[in-house]
Amino acid sequence: MRVINLASGSDGNSTYLENDNVKILLDNGLSSTETVKRLSLIGISPDEIDAIIISHEHSDHIKGVDVFSSKYNIPVYANEGVWLGLENKLKKVSLVNRKMFDGSFNLKELIVDPVELPHDVKCFGFSFSQEDKKISILTDLGHTNDKILSSVKGSRVVYLEANYDKKLLMSGTKYPLSLKIRIDGPNGHLSNKASGEAVEYLAQTGTRQIILSHLSRENNAPNLAYSTISEEIKSAGIIEGKDIKIDVASPSIGAMFRLK
């Protein structure tokens, strides 16, 4: 299995994942043109994509889906509740390419396990498994819980939201108080501190690579997220670089991770 983040953050989110027989995009928050450009940089043609899986309806996750799916005839998978919010946003996706899931499903031998996330719209995270290989992606959630963390237990690679630093969020002048409260609420986004608590659990259950994802452009910074979370897990006796590796996703193409 191979996975790479094509984009992460406030301006767009998309992750490419493949095994020997299936090539997929999880979310497509870039324009169709930019998606094609970034895929070409990793040696993938758009007509090779077998499926687009949608986590939720927000524009930074679906911006390019309509045009990309219709132009290259690609099936789009989403939960029934997510499709309700997509009906008026994805008008070009053909009926035959509108795929609905309710629970786990297979894309050939790749097992896709969705888990519902606490967000202000219907939203899902995903684990992708083949034999003993497992990769999980959890972004756009206001908090974690036992069900969410258990669903990704044993993942060798986890893309995990670290959206904001609470001090930066609350002291900033750009956002109104109502938006700050939403972001910091139980159905908003995951703070650096909350992300660190999740990393501690994941490190203790087999994960060896974390990619901090969906960082806010206004309320976080890569070095701040990395240092905060590294210190958080250090207090539990977990050493970054030894017990677990932490990288930070960016708006541009990230590092490629391969599971053999």
Side-chain angles (χ1 to χ4, degrees):
M1 291 173 66
R2 184 168 79 138
V3 63
I4 184 170
N5 207 224
L6 300 181
S8 179
S10 304
D11 296 326
N13 299 275
S14 186
T15 304
Y16 171 81
L17 186 143
E18 69 170 24
N19 64 11
D20 290 339
N21 299 310
V22 177
K23 296 177 171 63
I24 67 173
L25 288 178
L26 175 60
D27 291 332
N28 187 11
L30 303 168
S31 69
S32 179
T33 300
E34 186 63 24
T35 302
V36 172
K37 177 182 175 182
R38 296 194 187 196
L39 285 172
S40 70
L41 291 173
I42 61 171
I44 302 299
S45 171
D47 53 18
E48 293 181 81
I49 300 297
D50 297 296
I52 304 168
I53 301 174
I54 302 299
S55 64
H56 66 295
E57 66 182 79
H58 286 159
S59 62
D60 59 326
H61 293 260
I62 66 163
K63 179 180 178 180
V65 173
D66 222 14
V67 173
F68 192 75
S69 169
S70 61
K71 185 173 183 178
Y72 299 103
N73 192 32
I74 301 170
V76 177
Y77 291 76
N79 173 269
E80 180 179 5
V82 175
W83 270 118
L84 291 175
L86 293 173
E87 286 296 335
N88 294 321
K89 297 180 180 181
L90 300 185
K91 296 182 178 180
K92 294 181 180 179
V93 178
S94 66
L95 289 177
V96 71
N97 278 335
R98 293 174 180 244
K99 308 294 184 180
M100 197 174 297
F101 63 79
D102 181 17
S104 300
F105 61 100
N106 284 58
L107 293 171
K108 297 184 180 178
E109 70 274 21
L110 188 68
I111 301 170
V112 184
D113 290 306
V115 59
E116 189 165 359
L117 303 179
H119 200 39
D120 53 4
V121 296
K122 197 80 166 177
C123 183
F124 288 82
F126 298 90
S127 291
F128 302 90
S129 306
Q130 181 183 349
E131 298 174 347
D132 64 339
K133 307 175 190 71
K134 184 175 180 179
I135 294 168
S136 295
I137 301 173
L138 295 177
T139 68
D140 296 78
L141 67 166
H143 66 275
T144 59
N145 55 41
D146 290 343
K147 180 180 178 181
I148 293 168
L149 293 176
S150 294
S151 75
V152 301
K153 181 179 179 180
S155 301
R156 289 160 63 181
V157 176
V158 177
Y159 289 79
L160 178 68
E161 179 167 84
N163 181 259
Y164 67 97
D165 174 82
K166 188 163 184 174
K167 289 183 179 178
L168 283 182
L169 174 67
M170 294 305 177
S171 64
T173 58
K174 184 172 182 178
Y175 290 1
L177 180 59
S178 58
L179 179 55
K180 293 179 181 183
I181 292 171
R182 183 187 76 80
I183 291 169
D184 191 45
N187 295 316
H189 289 281
L190 212 61
S191 69
N192 290 342
K193 180 172 176 25
S195 184
E197 293 168 355
V199 172
E200 180 183 332
Y201 170 88
L202 293 168
Q204 294 169 343
T205 56
T207 299
R208 291 296 171 260
Q209 177 69 59
I210 296 285
I211 303 93
L212 303 177
S213 304
H214 210 288
L215 273 68
S216 167
R217 183 176 58 246
E218 302 294 334
N219 304 308
N220 211 350
N223 61 339
L224 179 58
Y226 173 83
S227 61
T228 300
I229 291 166
S230 295
E231 285 300 312
E232 180 81 21
I233 63 173
K234 186 178 179 180
S235 66
I238 301 165
I239 307 302
E240 194 284 324
K242 177 184 176 183
D243 302 309
I244 193 167
K245 183 75 172 66
I246 297 176
D247 287 276
V248 184
S250 75
S252 58
I253 295 177
M256 178 80 73
F257 297 97
R258 294 177 174 86
L259 301 187
K260 298 181 180 179

